[in-house]
Structure formats: structure tokens, C-alpha cells
Amino acid sequence: MSRRPTTSGGDRRGQMVLLAGVVVALALVAMLVAYLQLGYHADVRTASVDGEAAADGRSYLQRATHDASRALRGEFTWSERARAVTETRNRIQPRIRTLQRSRVESGVAYTAAFNRTAARRWATANCPSGPGREFGPCVADRGVVVQQRGERTLVLAVGYDLTVTTDRETVRLTAVTPAVE
């Protein structure tokens, strides 16, 4: 009579341990593949933050310019254009100070100032001259471009220098933001 070998409980337990090991290994492989697909690139996030900060600063200056020019629309005659420029700068200056304090806690420092040269270049390039023009002359004064419309002064644009400093880099840009839509 021949006897069949019986499997003991130890053999089954060994198979279960082996099966559990395979499952854990497969889970680890899946996690590794997911990690590699997502990737970790510290420079990409930093560059994105710096770029976002510069875009945010520029957008903020655009809103400040638009708000200041809208508030002054038609308030000054053309002969009072120097007062219009002074008032525009006075209305924008507190907004610049707010921008400069806005994100210091998060490691972003803004510095903004009026840029006279950029405003003058913008006026030369964007304001038509000669007898066939629709509106009066343009003048760039202290970084603010104004134009005669009828007998009134209209703020057209403001030139800025914007510096954005983070712990990684400093971004400097010069921008002229149009004041009218």
C-alpha cells in the first residue's frame, strides 16, 4: 500500500507568505512608477512662483493705472495737465506701497517705480502726430502719458519699473500699462 504524502499546514503558510510578498512588491513597483511619472523638479516650481509673482505684480499695476485714470477722467483741462499727472501719480503711489508690502511674509518682495523713459517711448510710438490725427497732442510727464481730448486731459498710460525678488532670483521688467480700454 502506498501512502500519499500529505501537505502540512506549514507548506500552506509558506505559500501565503510568498503570495503576500508578491502583492507588496507589486504595490511598491506601482508606487515607484507613479512617483517617477509625477517627478520632482524643484526648479520648475520656483520658476513658476517667480513668474506668477511678476505677472501678479504687473496685473496689480494695470488695475491701479486703470482705476486712477478712470477716477480722473475729464476732471482736468488740457492746460491743467501737469496737475492731472501729479494727481495720477498721487493716486497710484499708495497702491505701489501696498504692492511692495503685499507678499513679504511669503518671501516675495516687490519694488515698483515710475519709468519716465518708457512712458516717453510709448507716447512716441502710440500717439499719432501731424494734422490728420483725431485727438490732440500726447505728453509724457514723470512717467505718465496724457493726451488732449477736446479741452480735457486723458491719462493714456503709465510707465513702470517692476522688480520682483524671491529667495531664488530677481526678476526686473519695464512695463507701460495702458490706462484706457
Side-chain angles (χ1 to χ4, degrees):
M1 280 194 142
S2 81
R3 285 183 127 188
R4 285 176 103 184
T6 59
T7 59
S8 67
D11 287 341
R12 274 195 199 139
R13 188 172 44 213
Q15 290 174 350
M16 292 302 287
V17 169
L18 181 62
L19 182 61
V22 168
V23 170
V24 169
L26 288 174
L28 288 174
V29 167
M31 287 173 43
L32 177 65
V33 168
Y35 175 77
L36 291 174
Q37 285 178 342
L38 293 176
Y40 174 72
H41 303 288
D43 293 339
V44 172
R45 181 65 186 143
T46 301
S48 176
V49 168
D50 294 344
E52 285 177 19
D56 289 348
R58 188 170 183 172
S59 294
Y60 184 86
L61 292 173
Q62 287 173 336
R63 284 189 308 276
T65 301
H66 176 75
D67 292 347
S69 69
R70 187 179 55 202
L72 298 175
R73 192 166 289 159
E75 189 173 321
F76 295 96
T77 65
W78 182 243
S79 62
E80 299 173 316
R81 65 185 168 273
R83 284 185 48 219
V85 169
T86 299
E87 185 62 26
T88 300
R89 289 171 57 95
N90 289 344
R91 288 177 180 264
I92 293 173
Q93 195 62 48
R95 303 280 300 268
I96 288 175
R97 284 192 295 273
T98 299
L99 173 65
Q100 291 172 337
R101 292 187 307 263
S102 65
R103 293 181 56 189
V104 172
E105 297 84 22
S106 62
V108 178
Y110 290 102
T111 305
F114 294 100
N115 184 310
R116 297 168 186 234
T117 305
R120 189 171 42 252
R121 286 182 184 150
W122 189 92
T124 301
N126 292 286
C127 294
S129 59
R133 68 178 179 255
E134 236 179 282
F135 301 111
C138 282
V139 175
D141 180 9
R142 294 171 278 154
V144 178
V145 180
V146 293
Q147 184 176 39
Q148 180 182 7
R149 301 259 175 120
E151 282 304 312
R152 310 311 288 170
T153 300
L154 181 70
V155 177
L156 292 184
V158 178
Y160 296 101
D161 285 323
L162 177 64
T163 303
V164 182
T165 305
T166 65
D167 60 342
R168 291 285 202 168
E169 71 177 324
T170 298
V171 176
R172 290 180 181 87
L173 60 100
T174 298
V176 178
T177 60
V180 292
E181 295 96 39

